[in-house]
Amino acid sequence: MGPFARRAAAVKAALKPRGTGGFTLIELIVAICVVALLFAVALDRLMRFQELGERTAMEQNIAAINVALTMKFAALVASGHSRAIEKELGANPVDNLARPPENYLGALFMPSAELLPARSWYFDRASGDLVYVPGRTRYLSEPPDAINGLRFRVYLTDPSPRKGETVTEIRQAFIRPLHPYRWNIE
């Protein structure tokens, strides 16, 4: 055997693993930590997307109610009863929808927020507010009491005349939050 062959055999012997070829305890702990970290990041992302979906569904319901109020307003104006839109103040806006949302609990009188299921709607007959009880509030920063529900109310547009005109606009009903909310998920 020549010097190069002996040197190659020595390098092979030095690189050859000794004993059984399994994980050491340190390697196993490192692998478990990496998997746990990846799982935590994936779970955080999943919960973030669930809250984003909840916010989107809530805002779609509000948009549908606004469209229903606009359609009712248009029907009343077309029939010559435009002043009747003022009856929408304090009325349940969900009644204007073809069918209520699946998570709508109905018209309740001063319910206890802790007893209501999360991600549900109800109409508070005492205050005249439509209330959404959020399920996840990690990214919901305002109002501070949002855990008790986000409150929405029907308002009428301001009938102020335009400059130089004596004719005022017809008041139209729309729904908006009673207290502005901030649900920053991005």
Side-chain angles (χ1 to χ4, degrees), residues 22-35:
F23 282 111
T24 65
L25 186 58
I26 299 287
E27 291 171 334
L28 181 63
I29 290 172
V30 168
I32 289 173
C33 288
V34 167
V35 168

Side-chain angles (χ1 to χ4, degrees), residues 91-157:
N92 189 350
V94 175
D95 292 341
N96 294 316
L97 297 173
R99 63 186 161 96
E102 290 180 18
N103 52 351
Y104 179 65
L105 303 175
L108 308 174
F109 188 79
M110 294 177 58
S112 177
E114 310 83 50
L115 302 176
L116 298 174
R119 294 181 291 282
S120 61
W121 292 91
Y122 70 91
F123 179 72
D124 188 353
R125 292 184 355 212
S127 65
D129 297 338
L130 182 63
V131 183
Y132 178 73
V133 181
R136 300 194 185 278
T137 57
R138 180 175 179 189
Y139 298 99
L140 183 60
S141 59
E142 288 181 21
D145 63 341
I147 195 74
N148 296 329
L150 298 173
R151 295 185 166 271
F152 297 87
R153 187 174 286 171
V154 175
Y155 293 95
L156 296 177
T157 57

Side-chain angles (χ1 to χ4, degrees), residues 24 34 46 60 72 75 78 81 87 96 98 101 121 140-141 158-159 166 169 178 181:
T24 65
V34 167
L46 175 68
Q60 284 180 340
K72 185 169 187 173
H81 299 95
K87 292 179 184 173
N96 294 316
W121 292 91
L140 183 60
S141 59
D158 185 23
T166 57
E169 292 180 3
L178 189 61
Y181 64 91

Side-chain angles (χ1 to χ4, degrees), residues 48-55 139-140 183-186:
R48 181 173 172 246
F49 287 128
Q50 282 180 338
E51 192 164 344
L52 180 64
E54 180 181 353
R55 181 190 74 179
Y139 298 99
L140 183 60
W183 210 337
N184 293 328
I185 300 176
E186 286 68 66

